[in-house]
Amino acid sequence: MANVGQQSEMPFLDHLEELRWRILRALVALIAGVVAAFSLLLRFDIILILERPILPYLSGNQLVYTHPADPFKITMSMAFALGAIFASPVLVWQIWGFLSPALYKHEKRVIIPVLIFGALLFLGGVSLAFFGIIPITLKMFYSIQTNSLTPMITAGAYFDFVVSLSLVLGAVFELPIAVLALTALGIVTPAFLNKFRRHATVICLVTSAFITPGQDPLSLLAIAIPLYLLYELSVVCSVFVYRRKQRREAARLAEAEGSGAVA
């Protein structure tokens, strides 16, 4: 059946040409975002904000660096991260513009809320890492310092630690979006998720053990509990998508039976 309201099918070469221009627009937006972020980092000391979790443990000192290029590398890494965030609306719009002609109307109504929901989940994971897990982990690390050791934390090591943990938790928080996609594809069902709820508890604990930098029980629970709550949220999302899918299939069958009766 033809997709109602869908654009006429484009030739393959036209698709490639459109994809090329959309990639170019996305790259231009990304470069502009990185340049704007780099300017902001030079004008405002945003790195100082990212240093706040560790400042109480430096005894009035600052993070050190061991290579002349380290400040530039750190600034560029932060500029790329912030630039990607600044350019994300344009990037999402280009992806949407390329994919939307192939989607049905009910899929178009769902995709934008799902993208917004995914962005909020990612920000939630990053916020949990920066405001919760990182301070708890640093407190645990410095609670076992001895008088025979002098901490000399390099800026590169600290920012690698902060950025990697934040990105990992942000990605892990996309679990409900992954479950939504798998449910829509018919790979998982709410009954399947309910059946393996106990297994999910163990998986959350094991995943938290891998993610937690310090391996201490407090940090582990601080990650495992939100992960399990995300699993429960995924079950709710799966039920919602599964029921909508069943209603659409029932309506399609009723329409087919009605057309057959008329014929």
Side-chain angles (χ1 to χ4, degrees), residues 89-121:
V90 178
L91 301 180
V92 171
W93 180 256
Q94 294 303 319
I95 295 172
W96 169 253
F98 184 74
L99 296 179
S100 60
L103 299 176
Y104 291 92
K105 288 184 177 180
H106 67 270
E107 293 172 331
K108 292 181 180 180
R109 289 195 297 266
V110 171
I111 191 68
I112 293 180
V114 167
L115 289 175
I116 296 174
F117 184 43
L120 293 176
L121 287 174

Side-chain angles (χ1 to χ4, degrees), residues 10-29:
M10 295 172 60
F12 179 72
L13 292 179
D14 289 347
H15 277 295
L16 288 180
E17 181 69 13
E18 182 188 5
L19 178 61
R20 183 175 73 90
W21 280 107
R22 291 195 180 278
I23 291 175
L24 286 175
R25 295 188 192 107
L27 288 175
V28 170

